[in-house]
Amino acid sequence: MIQFACLCKSRYIQTAALLLIVVLFTVGVKGQEITDFRKLSLPEWDSTYLDSTYIFSMIRESNLQSRRDTDSAIATLETLIAHCHVAGVYDGVVEGSYFLGYIYTQKGMYPLARQWFRHAVLYSSKGRRRPFKMCRILINIGNTYQFEGNYKEAVTYYFRAAELAEQSVKTDIAIASPLIRIYNHAGASLLQFGQHEKAMYYFDKAEAIAKAWKVPETLPAIWANKAIVYGRTRYREKAWEYSRKALYTAKQYEQAEVQVIVLQNMAELEKNNGELTRSIAYLEDALRVRNNLNPYYTNKALYTLGATHLSLGNYELAEQYLTSAYGQAIQYNIPEHQLYINQQLAILYSSIHKYREAFRHQQAAYQINDSLLNKEKTIAVDMLEIKYRTAEKDKTLAQNQLMITEQKSRLRQKNIWIYIVTGSSLLLALSLVSYLRANRHKQKIRVLKAVIEGEEKERSRIARELHDGIGGLVSAMNMNIILLGKEQKTLHDDTYQKLLHITDEISNEIRKTAHNLMPETIARNSLPEAVQLFCNHINKNGLEIDIQTYGPFELLEQDIRLSLYRIIQELVQNVIKHAQATYTLVQMSLQEPILCIIVEDNGVGIDPGKQTGGMGLHSIKTRIESMNGRFSIESDPGKGTTALIELPV
């Protein structure tokens, strides 16, 4: 069977496993902040108690506590993480951050969950069993995107996790469990777009590994998904068989989410068979499952119950369930659910002659549907690319088989040569297309680099003009004013002193501007040191700038350091000019093959509808594109701004 790794070639291989550690840094989440553990005032705690047994017992206790009181569980985990951080017990930081992310996922707070998962990634490089932890974290980040309906990002994280798991499973059998989950989630993503055959391929593969490696607790989720496939492809008996054993096993392992999924599927099977009363009974059973469930699952049961009552003509109950589900879908940002609920509400209000309300919900459904269709088209392109790579792998295997057959049978020699010539021609054509594309990209990079070099030369020219020309004239004027004061003793009044002070300030500002335009600090210092000097120079007006660095930045070439220095300069100056912030974080990390820079503030943020591409941002994008990097900005009004830069090195 074709290995899952074949789906992750090309750009996924280039981004490799270490990329994941840096890409998933502690990016700030809208309106939320992770505690700065270095600034905590903690009670005395004997660090000898922070062994692995104690840490994991505390985490298990917090996980159980979260089912009763999530706030207390969160407080306990934050305290544990803080003490582990101070004591340097990084395994505890990783595990505590991971379970905090899991708890926030269950609460439907997906951006904050991702923030804690990324915090776990940041410290996973300092602990043990790194590949296992990375796989587990990447899967959960993918899940948060899937719950939000962003299947493109979800599939990307699943593929990255799959690549890492495939590389490590031979040396660490514990990765078997995450690998099973990867295959199951990959199949579930394909299922969203009606690709039942491909989805079933991954479900079968996950089930085979779970049985071979004796990981029975992963089977209920796989069986639940297989039941959905059988139900949609009209194999009703198979659908009921897998639903029943999935429900039974999920109850044994206390897997509440799987129970809800199975009960919803059983309700759908009854509804398709015309048994609406039985369908309602299963949905009510699903809503009675209580275990601190993710709202994604309960919301679906709620709106399905409303739709079923609508089919029965119970308009009052239907409105009650649908409006309740609609409020939750908006609160937790579940666009697929919003689409279906709006459609059902439009039918409901039309049935009871509230045509204004019906029209409003129908319009909302159209708008959401357009957005989802655009998103689905993007994902469809990714799926076609995966299909192409899979076919390419099949073709290579077929050619190898043909060459072996040629040695065994002279009678088939002619056909074998035809296959070889055809395949070679295809590979040659593909190589030519790839070369032309790469050449165009290199040409574009050369043009961008030439533009940037021209900018730097112009900066240097302006700096020399300021320093040697205008700066010299101002210095001469200052000296003459001082001489005039010595000759005319009566001039030593307040006006004369102010004039002397102003000329000094003008001279200093010209010198500082010239140095910023042509910074000598880059030639003499590493990038972190140059940024620190720059921030010390502008750190004023109540703005606190916190600089964090990780990695061997002294290895960077001078032209790269200069470009990165310009980028950070522009981002920090934007914070000073526009953000009205009191705190800014500048975080730089270099872990081959990726360099990551984060500039985050707690200012007023940016209104997405009013964002404009100024010259500063255009310059940043040009520089990053010339280095084949990625640049993104995340912001909401009143909730701060985060700029993320990723560059291959």
Side-chain angles (χ1 to χ4, degrees), residues 509 512-513 516 532-540:
E509 287 300 319
K512 291 175 184 177
T513 302
N516 279 336
Q532 184 69 63
L533 291 171
F534 168 72
C535 291
N536 289 343
H537 167 61
I538 65 170
N539 200 347
K540 58 185 178 179

Side-chain angles (χ1 to χ4, degrees), residues 243-490:
S243 293
R244 290 189 181 100
K245 66 179 183 179
L247 183 60
Y248 175 78
T249 315
K251 288 180 178 178
Q252 284 185 317
Y253 289 105
E254 297 183 357
Q255 296 174 351
E257 291 176 354
V258 178
Q259 293 179 47
V260 172
I261 293 171
V262 175
L263 288 168
Q264 289 175 3
N265 187 44
M266 295 169 97
E268 188 68 23
L269 291 172
E270 293 288 12
K271 184 178 180 181
N272 292 339
N273 200 34
E275 299 290 344
L276 299 183
T277 304
R278 293 182 183 178
S279 177
I280 289 173
Y282 281 120
L283 291 170
E284 289 175 344
D285 286 344
L287 290 174
R288 279 193 287 269
V289 176
R290 289 288 183 269
N291 196 6
N292 204 26
L293 278 173
N294 188 308
Y296 180 91
Y297 300 103
T298 55
N299 184 257
K300 185 174 181 180
L302 196 62
Y303 77 64
T304 307
L305 188 58
T308 308
H309 278 293
L310 177 58
S311 299
L312 288 170
N314 300 330
Y315 299 128
E316 186 175 347
L317 280 175
E319 183 178 18
Q320 176 184 335
Y321 286 120
L322 287 172
T323 53
S324 177
Y326 189 51
Q328 286 185 11
I330 293 175
Q331 179 183 355
Y332 297 109
N333 188 27
I334 313 174
E336 286 83 356
H337 293 189
Q338 293 176 37
L339 169 62
Y340 184 81
I341 296 169
N342 273 306
Q343 291 171 340
Q344 293 299 309
L345 284 171
I347 296 171
L348 168 66
Y349 287 122
S350 178
S351 300
I352 59 177
H353 309 298
K354 292 185 177 181
Y355 298 112
R356 186 184 298 275
E357 290 295 315
F359 177 75
R360 182 171 64 86
H361 285 285
Q362 191 63 49
Q363 287 294 101
Y366 284 143
Q367 292 174 0
I368 298 171
N369 189 50
D370 288 342
S371 173
L372 290 176
L373 283 175
N374 290 335
K375 186 188 302 180
E376 289 175 5
K377 288 176 183 176
T378 303
I379 299 173
V381 172
D382 289 340
M383 295 305 174
L384 287 173
E385 181 182 16
I386 294 167
K387 184 177 180 180
Y388 168 77
R389 297 184 191 281
T390 305
E392 189 177 44
K393 181 68 175 178
D394 287 335
K395 181 189 65 179
T396 304
L397 293 173
Q399 290 175 346
N400 291 337
Q401 185 62 43
L402 283 173
M403 286 187 289
I404 295 171
T405 306
E406 181 186 24
Q407 296 174 1
K408 295 180 179 179
S409 175
R410 295 288 182 180
L411 296 176
R412 301 175 61 186
Q413 185 174 7
K414 182 179 178 180
N415 290 334
I416 291 174
W417 278 107
I418 292 173
Y419 281 119
I420 291 175
V421 171
T422 304
S424 299
S425 301
L426 179 59
L427 288 174
L428 180 61
L430 290 174
S431 299
L432 180 61
V433 171
S434 177
Y435 172 78
L436 292 175
R437 288 181 178 175
N439 194 45
R440 284 199 298 269
H441 180 70
K442 288 179 180 178
Q443 185 177 3
K444 182 180 179 182
I445 294 299
R446 284 196 294 269
V447 171
L448 290 172
K449 285 186 175 180
V451 171
I452 291 172
E453 288 173 2
E455 289 179 359
E456 292 300 333
K457 289 180 181 178
E458 185 64 10
R459 285 173 181 265
S460 298
R461 186 189 67 77
I462 295 172
R464 286 193 296 270
E465 292 289 338
L466 284 173
H467 189 274
D468 299 336
I470 300 174
L473 291 173
V474 173
S475 297
M477 181 178 69
N478 192 37
M479 292 175 61
N480 280 286
I481 292 173
I482 293 173
L483 289 174
L484 181 63
K486 291 180 179 180
E487 293 173 359
Q488 303 293 331
K489 303 297 183 180
T490 59

Side-chain angles (χ1 to χ4, degrees), residues 472-514:
L473 291 173
V474 173
S475 297
M477 181 178 69
N478 192 37
M479 292 175 61
N480 280 286
I481 292 173
I482 293 173
L483 289 174
L484 181 63
K486 291 180 179 180
E487 293 173 359
Q488 303 293 331
K489 303 297 183 180
T490 59
L491 289 177
H492 289 274
D493 56 5
D494 290 340
T495 303
Y496 174 82
Q497 294 298 328
K498 288 180 181 178
L499 178 62
L500 192 60
H501 178 67
I502 289 170
T503 57
D504 282 335
E505 284 191 341
I506 293 172
S507 180
N508 289 333
E509 287 300 319
I510 291 173
R511 190 181 304 109
K512 291 175 184 177
T513 302

Side-chain angles (χ1 to χ4, degrees), residues 580-644:
Q580 304 177 27
T582 59
Y583 174 80
T584 299
L585 170 66
V586 179
Q587 190 176 73
M588 297 177 285
S589 172
L590 174 57
Q591 291 184 333
E592 292 187 5
I594 286 297
L595 184 149
C596 180
I597 296 174
I598 296 171
V599 178
E600 178 185 9
D601 66 74
N602 64 349
V604 298
I606 304 172
D607 187 348
K610 298 181 180 179
Q611 289 190 28
T612 58
M615 292 184 63
L617 286 179
H618 176 73
S619 175
I620 291 172
K621 291 176 181 177
T622 301
R623 289 180 183 274
I624 293 172
E625 190 174 358
S626 74
M627 293 183 283
N628 202 22
R630 294 174 57 191
F631 175 56
S632 62
I633 294 179
E634 183 174 325
S635 179
D636 268 352
K639 297 183 179 180
T641 303
T642 298
L644 172 63

Side-chain angles (χ1 to χ4, degrees), residues 533-601:
L533 291 171
F534 168 72
C535 291
N536 289 343
H537 167 61
I538 65 170
N539 200 347
K540 58 185 178 179
N541 298 328
L543 175 65
E544 178 187 357
I545 303 178
D546 184 9
I547 299 175
Q548 301 176 4
T549 61
Y550 311 88
F553 286 91
E554 64 275 7
L555 302 179
L556 294 177
E557 296 177 0
Q558 183 170 344
D559 59 336
I560 294 178
R561 285 187 284 138
L562 179 58
S563 288
L564 295 176
Y565 178 80
R566 293 295 187 206
I567 290 169
I568 295 172
Q569 263 190 322
E570 183 64 35
L571 290 172
V572 173
Q573 286 172 347
N574 281 345
V575 172
I576 295 173
K577 293 177 183 177
H578 309 297
Q580 304 177 27
T582 59
Y583 174 80
T584 299
L585 170 66
V586 179
Q587 190 176 73
M588 297 177 285
S589 172
L590 174 57
Q591 291 184 333
E592 292 187 5
I594 286 297
L595 184 149
C596 180
I597 296 174
I598 296 171
V599 178
E600 178 185 9
D601 66 74

